[in-house]
Amino acid sequence: MTAEEATPLDPQISRPRRTRLQGVFREVLKAPITAKFGILVILSYGFVAIFAPVLTPYGEREIVGPEFDVWGEQFILGTDGLGRDMLTRLLFGARNTVGIAFITTILAFVIGGLTGLFAAIYSGWFDQLASRVVDVLMAIPQLIFALMLLTIFGTSIPTLIIVIATLDATRIFRVTRAVSLNVVVLDYFEAARLRGERMFWLCIREILPNIMAPLMAEFGLRFCFVFLMIAALSFLGLGVQPPTADWGSMVRENAVLITYGDITPILPAIAIAVLTLGVNFLVDWFLHKSSGLKDGH
Amino acid sequence: MNRILLMVLQRFGLGLLTLFVVSIIIFVGVEFLPGDIAEALLGQGASPENVAALRHELGLDRPAHIRYIDWWAGVMQGDLGTSLANRRDIAELITFRLSNTLFLALTAAAVSVPLALIFGVLAALYRNSIYDRSVNVVTLGAVSAPEFLTAYVLILYFSVKLGWFPSLSNIDANTSFINKLHQVTLPAVTLMGVILAYMMRMVRASIINLLASAYIEMAHLKGMPKLRVIVKHALPNAWAPIANIIAISLAYLVVGVVVVEVVFIYPGLGQLMVDSVSNRDIPVVQACSMIFAGTYILLNLTADIVSICTNPRLLHPK
């Protein structure tokens, strides 16, 4: 995202001498400890996802030792049921699991956001049609719908991404449409329309900057939702398939160890929880900030 | 009163319509299946005659709309078809599991709804206090954890280390109520963790939203005690959002139950559905989806109706 789009996020920056980046930085310094924790978590997960191969001597799918080896010098977190290094798979999981969830969320935003914007601008038959379709899709529980669709189309990563993104786009459609409708009725938008601005311009330059704040918060929440959903599907054995290292399926693969009182199998689950918590903290702070003084009565 | 009745009927009709459309989606989904169910069942070495015979037996050689009507006629008579995997009657397969799932979900709901109301109101009452802030952090944590994490942590402590509860549910038709309750504790607590946190946050938010209104300010200025302001003035207007929240959380239970049942190998509908998805046992998936979607629609419908019936503006028209 460019710095320009970020403008409406920081209503408090008023002095023009400071650049926007400095302004954001100052805001972050003033943020509560929970939000700082969130930022730290997101940055470190990003770091691990990018540099996973450098951080570990073993390969993602490489069988390096005996099965279910205990924690030790050579294999810090032991090995899994096939003799692959746990820590390595955990690090690569950051890349696979988070990556897939991230792509899915972006795809969902492209689908849901665009249709939502169109529906708000052309409030005619398209709006009616799209809204009714979304109503029906939302009447079916997402996980159940996803299970059904995955039965029909089979389980592969592209199918998984498309299915979840389509299902999730329904929520984003509603949010985008609702917030855009507030903008569409304003005078300046009417003026832009009468000037004969094109559709693309109307969306990008007139509406988007004004709905960026709620959409950013929604992005965080949707990401958490998609992330947990994919983890749940993988845990059920219907999401990301082995031998790809994925946190949800790692829990499933190693679950036997729990009955021996070993906590290794829940480490991937903790990794999922920490990232979700970090994003939630950040969104919470962001919502609090963008809602301004409303809470301060 | 007439207007309310009309609105309730309208919603009811809309709910039925949605259910109808959903049934079409679920049914049509099967039509898109790559390959033929009969061929898939018999394997690659099957002769064309055998495949044709099985297609006839399963009714696959008739046009789709006739099969759809037949399917509905069957559903109305309690006949959900037969499972492809083991050729058993689906209705029979489902009844016992459905009762188990309902037992689990109702136990979780019965404990978490009152708790969420009490803690949510308290958090709204003492907002921005230490209590409120720690509640905020703890509930965010609970919402962020995937169900299987909560479930395995509970198993690790309460069944492996302490041995208080079984890690696997072993329930059959003869299990006594007390024994069932004992077995269902860990799965129910797992489910409660998530919906309790979610409901509390929403209850708090909807009450705080109301506290900004002028008539609440007025009540404060009259010198009314804080708790009384919330219970007498804020709550009646908050019932509609709260009913919505409860219904959404219960609807969430419908979904959450799937993962939890798999962790505890609890003999419920979710476990059956996941197994059937891996086996690509379409009729069973269809039946389970229909039940899950139906429950979900019913809960949302109830929330709608409750929020209409508790709306003070509709109850006391000018």
Side-chain angles (χ1 to χ4, degrees), chain A residues 136 138-141 143-144 148 151-152 228 235-236 251 255 258 261 263 266 269 273 276-277 280-281 284 295 297, chain B residues 18 21-22 25-26 29 34 127 136 140-141 144 148-149 152 156 160 201 208 255 262-263 277 280 289 292 296-297:
Chain A
V136 171
M138 283 179 78
I140 310 176
L143 186 70
I144 304 299
M148 211 182 76
T151 327
I152 294 167
L228 287 179
F235 173 75
L236 296 175
V251 175
I258 303 249
I263 65 156
I266 54 178
T276 322
L277 187 66
N280 267 329
F281 276 154
D284 203 43
D295 216 16
H297 48 79
Chain B
T18 323
V21 176
V22 167
I25 293 181
I26 291 177
R127 66 183 174 286
N136 185 31
L140 263 183
S144 305
F148 50 86
L149 174 63
Y152 280 129
L156 200 60
V160 177
R201 291 181 69 82
I208 284 188
V255 179
V262 170
V263 174
V277 171
R280 307 195 79 175
S289 310
F292 278 127
Y296 195 75
I297 292 172

Side-chain angles (χ1 to χ4, degrees), chain A residues 32-42 216-228 272-289, chain B residues 136-146 194 197-198 201:
Chain A
I33 181 90
T34 47
K36 282 180 186 152
F37 168 79
I39 294 170
L40 187 74
V41 165
I42 294 169
M216 290 281 292
E218 190 65 19
F219 187 87
L221 294 177
R222 284 293 108 201
F223 172 79
C224 290
F225 195 85
V226 166
F227 188 53
L228 287 179
I272 295 171
V274 170
L275 179 60
T276 322
L277 187 66
V279 176
N280 267 329
F281 276 154
L282 193 62
V283 171
D284 203 43
W285 170 61
F286 185 75
L287 280 177
H288 191 76
K289 278 210 79 63
Chain B
N136 185 31
V137 171
V138 170
T139 50
L140 263 183
V143 172
S144 305
V194 182
Y198 176 76
R201 291 181 69 82

Side-chain angles (χ1 to χ4, degrees), chain A residues 46-58 88 90-95:
Chain A
F47 177 81
V48 169
I50 294 168
F51 295 106
V54 187
L55 294 172
T56 162
Y58 308 111
T88 305
L90 211 54
L91 294 177
F92 273 98
R95 177 177 276 195

Side-chain angles (χ1 to χ4, degrees), chain A residues 119-168:
Chain A
I121 296 177
Y122 297 125
S123 50
W125 62 269
F126 179 76
D127 184 25
Q128 277 299 323
L129 181 74
S131 299
R132 294 296 82 76
V133 169
V134 164
D135 281 350
V136 171
L137 288 184
M138 283 179 78
I140 310 176
Q142 269 195 328
L143 186 70
I144 304 299
F145 207 169
L147 283 178
M148 211 182 76
L149 290 178
L150 290 174
T151 327
I152 294 167
F153 297 115
T155 46
S156 70
I157 291 177
T159 328
L160 185 71
I161 291 178
I162 294 171
V163 165
I164 310 273
T166 317
L167 293 183
D168 215 50

Side-chain angles (χ1 to χ4, degrees), chain B residues 9-116:
Chain B
L9 281 178
Q10 214 175 16
R11 290 299 153 93
F12 196 71
L14 218 58
L16 279 183
L17 188 71
T18 323
L19 197 62
F20 176 68
V21 176
V22 167
S23 79
I24 291 184
I25 293 181
I26 291 177
F27 188 82
V28 166
V30 183
E31 298 295 310
F32 284 117
L33 259 181
D36 188 283
I37 297 179
E39 275 173 33
L41 267 181
L42 291 174
Q44 294 204 323
S47 67
E49 294 86 49
N50 281 347
V51 172
L54 186 64
R55 281 178 65 86
H56 185 72
E57 191 197 321
L58 295 172
L60 291 174
D61 51 354
R62 286 172 302 152
H65 60 275
I66 305 232
R67 270 185 289 142
Y68 175 71
I69 294 169
D70 264 12
W71 182 60
W72 254 125
V75 170
M76 287 300 161
Q77 294 162 23
D79 173 22
L80 294 164
T82 45
S83 152
L84 293 182
N86 51 19
R87 297 295 177 87
R88 280 179 60 192
D89 187 43
I90 296 179
E92 196 183 299
L93 204 66
I94 279 180
T95 326
F96 173 61
R97 284 168 173 271
L98 181 63
S99 70
N100 283 342
T101 296
L102 284 179
F103 182 68
L104 173 58
L106 287 179
T107 316
V111 181
S112 53
V113 171
L115 283 182

Side-chain angles (χ1 to χ4, degrees), chain A residues 192-227:
Chain A
R193 200 181 249 185
L194 290 175
R195 277 204 307 271
E197 303 290 5
R198 282 210 217 113
M199 184 68 197
F200 182 73
W201 179 274
L202 287 178
C203 286
I204 302 294
R205 298 294 296 186
E206 308 291 351
I207 299 187
L208 211 52
N210 281 304
I211 62 171
M212 215 49 210
L215 281 193
M216 290 281 292
E218 190 65 19
F219 187 87
L221 294 177
R222 284 293 108 201
F223 172 79
C224 290
F225 195 85
V226 166
F227 188 53

